[in-house]
Amino acid sequence: MIMMKKGFIATLLLGSLVLWPSCDREDDINVWNTQLPQLIMEKYPKASIIEGERVVGGYEVSAFVDGVEAEIYFNSKYQWLRTEFDTYWNALPEEVRSGVEAAGYQQYIFEEIERVETATSTTYRFQIDREPKDLVLVFDSLGLRIQ
C-alpha cells in the first residue's frame, strides 16, 4: 500500500512538472536558435545579448547596448518594433529636461526613466511611484508632454 502511495505521488509530481511550463504565457527561449542575434547586431553592432523570451505577439530580448541596459522587442515575424533603454536624468537631452520642468514634474522622484526608440520616433517615459497607482508621463524628443 505504501509503495502504491509513493508511486501515485511520484506520478502526480512528474505530471505536474510536464504540464506546468505550458501554462506560462512568457517562455524563455534560446535566443541563439533564432534570427534575433543577427537582427540585433545589424541594428546595434556593439550589443551584448543577455537573454530572450517569447511574449504574447513576439519576442523580448534583454541586452546591453553601448553599456546601457535595453529591452528590444520584435513581433512574431522577427520585425523590430521598439527598443527601451534605461536612462537617468542627467543623460536626457536638455529639451526633454526643460519640458519636464516646465510641466511641473521636476520635484518628483522618478522611479524609472526610459528612452523608447521606434521606427518613427524617440520618446521618454517617466514613472513616478504614487499610491494607489503609478503615474507614467511620456515626453517627445522636443520636451512636449504627449501622455
Side-chain angles (χ1 to χ4, degrees):
M1 183 72 166
I2 292 175
M3 286 302 281
M4 282 181 48
K5 283 185 179 180
K6 285 183 179 179
F8 179 71
I9 291 171
T11 303
L12 279 176
L13 288 173
L14 184 58
S16 67
L17 290 175
V18 170
L19 294 175
W20 177 68
S22 65
C23 297
D24 193 2
R25 293 194 61 107
E26 296 182 349
D27 297 314
D28 289 341
I29 59 169
N30 183 347
V31 139
W32 303 107
N33 290 339
T34 68
Q35 302 170 19
L36 296 172
Q38 177 184 349
L39 296 170
I40 290 169
M41 293 304 162
E42 287 172 5
K43 185 149 190 67
Y44 305 108
K46 296 181 181 180
S48 288
I49 296 172
I50 302 167
E51 65 181 351
E53 62 185 7
R54 184 181 308 273
V55 294
V56 176
Y59 303 93
E60 176 185 332
V61 178
S62 298
F64 284 101
V65 178
D66 296 324
V68 177
E69 192 169 347
E71 301 297 324
I72 307 167
Y73 294 88
F74 295 87
N75 66 17
S76 60
K77 296 179 180 175
Y78 296 102
Q79 297 167 321
W80 176 73
L81 300 174
R82 72 183 180 282
T83 304
E84 299 175 358
F85 294 93
D86 290 344
T87 192
Y88 53 95
W89 182 258
N90 290 335
L92 296 171
E94 181 59 38
E95 297 87 357
V96 175
R97 283 186 290 177
S98 295
V100 172
E101 290 170 355
Y105 292 101
Q106 74 278 6
Q107 77 275 10
Y108 289 97
I109 296 174
F110 299 112
E111 186 174 317
E112 186 174 19
I113 303 174
E114 293 179 317
R115 183 180 84 233
V116 181
E117 292 181 359
T118 66
T120 58
S121 68
T122 298
T123 57
Y124 297 85
R125 188 169 45 215
F126 300 81
Q127 183 174 330
I128 299 170
D129 187 21
R130 287 180 44 180
E131 293 298 329
K133 186 177 177 186
D134 290 348
L135 177 62
V136 177
L137 308 169
V138 180
F139 288 80
D140 67 13
S141 57
L142 299 175
L144 301 174
R145 182 171 175 201
I146 55 177
Q147 180 181 351

